[in-house]
Amino acid sequence: MVLTGCIPEIVGDDSGEVVSEFADADKPVIYAPTAGFKGNNYKGHEQIIDAIIDQYTKKTDKKEKGLVNIWADVPYQDLYWLGNLRELEKLLKEIGLTPNTIFGYQRGIKNIDKIASAEFNLLISPWVSVKNVKKMEKKLGIPYLHYSTLPIGAFETSKFLREVGKFAGVDEKKVEDVITEHENYYYYLIERFADLFLENRVINKQFSVVADAQYALGITKFLTNDLGLVPAKQFITDDTPKEYREAITEEFKKLNYGLEAEVVFETDSYKVHEQIKSHDYHGYPLVLGGYYDKEVTEDLKGNFLNISWPVKDKIVLNDAIVGYDGGIRLIEDIYTVASQRFN
């Protein structure tokens, strides 16, 4: 794949025409216009998928039963992208489906070649790649299930598995057996540290997430629905296209206990920090965001966890925050930070 930067597109180089000469080579070459002035990494990711669909993937009537293409958020831009994809694959396998992803270790051309044979596309994202799956439905005849919330923790992951199972026609009992096994162990772990969680609910009554739409929405639902924390303002920093903002805002109103979260779409860190400073958190704030959000949190004597770019507080090789196990990992990280207050 050939990707163009700003200079070739500013001066008018016809990179697409040059690359097209190699479209029928033994190892075909495809092209994507990815000049930085046209958008950010999220939109660039969509352009890459579009290039694969338009220039490489061919429609087929041969479908592999149970094969599901998984599309989530942007590799590398997402701190936990690799572990999250593997965890999503694992969950789908447990309910009897065959997952197909094209990013990461031992993924690539052989998986790209399977895209058109899938029974459906599974998109797990508030907005990134919505256009891609719609294009695949039209061009390749692949239906799609759009699940807008990254499933973190027991509540959302169980809901996710039921919805995927229903869409795929999986036996309901099989899905429920998988859910029961995971939930039993998940809540066993939660109960062991219930006293710690209750103590910190007094200290951290409210929280804010400063991240892209996927993490802001997924983590807000997790902290509210699984841990019973109260959401303050949530900040989405990925320059979400305007046509998706209303639907995403509505998702922040679908929380348990009758709670709703106010969401702010803002790419200016200064404006985000001013709103954090002016909000009454009724105690010490809990802020999950990028490293630039650490200082303002510390000034407010709050607890901070680095979960989005830029990342300086954590190294992630193969960790995940998706699913039941991912929820436990995130709880460990949050309350490791919280418990340090008592040291």
Side-chain angles (χ1 to χ4, degrees), residues 121-280:
N121 282 312
L122 172 60
L123 174 61
I124 307 158
S125 170
W127 70 271
V128 176
S129 288
V130 168
K131 291 180 179 178
N132 296 143
V133 294
K134 287 183 176 180
K135 173 175 281 192
M136 283 186 272
E137 182 178 52
K138 184 176 180 180
K139 182 175 185 287
L140 303 175
I142 308 173
Y144 68 89
L145 170 62
H146 179 200
Y147 197 86
S148 60
T149 303
L150 189 70
I152 305 172
F155 183 85
E156 196 66 37
T157 304
S158 297
K159 180 181 174 184
F160 166 76
L161 287 175
R162 290 186 179 107
E163 192 160 331
V164 173
K166 182 178 180 181
F167 190 88
V170 177
D171 179 67
E172 186 177 340
K173 184 179 184 306
K174 184 181 183 71
V175 175
E176 291 302 323
D177 286 346
V178 170
I179 289 172
T180 298
E181 182 177 356
H182 279 292
E183 285 190 349
N184 286 345
Y185 187 60
Y186 180 90
Y187 289 115
Y188 161 74
L189 295 175
I190 296 291
E191 288 170 4
R192 291 173 58 205
F193 288 89
D195 56 343
L196 176 64
F197 302 149
L198 289 171
E199 287 173 2
N200 279 279
R201 280 184 64 184
V202 175
I203 294 172
N204 293 130
K205 290 191 173 80
Q206 295 188 11
F207 69 89
S208 288
V209 182
V210 185
D212 61 16
Q214 172 149 288
Y215 274 18
L217 179 58
I219 293 174
T220 296
K221 287 193 174 184
F222 166 68
L223 293 178
T224 304
N225 297 341
D226 281 45
L227 297 182
L229 300 183
V230 178
K233 281 184 180 180
Q234 309 303 311
F235 301 94
I236 294 178
T237 60
D238 60 11
D239 195 20
T240 304
K242 291 182 180 179
E243 64 262 34
Y244 300 110
R245 293 187 180 186
E246 183 178 351
I248 292 171
T249 299
E250 287 302 309
E251 284 297 318
F252 279 90
K253 297 177 181 179
K254 298 175 183 178
L255 305 175
N256 290 351
Y257 319 114
L259 294 172
E260 296 183 2
E262 180 183 355
V263 58
V264 177
F265 296 89
E266 182 57 73
T267 59
D268 188 326
S269 292
Y270 173 80
K271 293 180 180 178
V272 171
H273 293 170
E274 288 300 299
Q275 292 186 67
I276 290 175
K277 286 190 287 187
S278 65
H279 181 79
D280 182 4

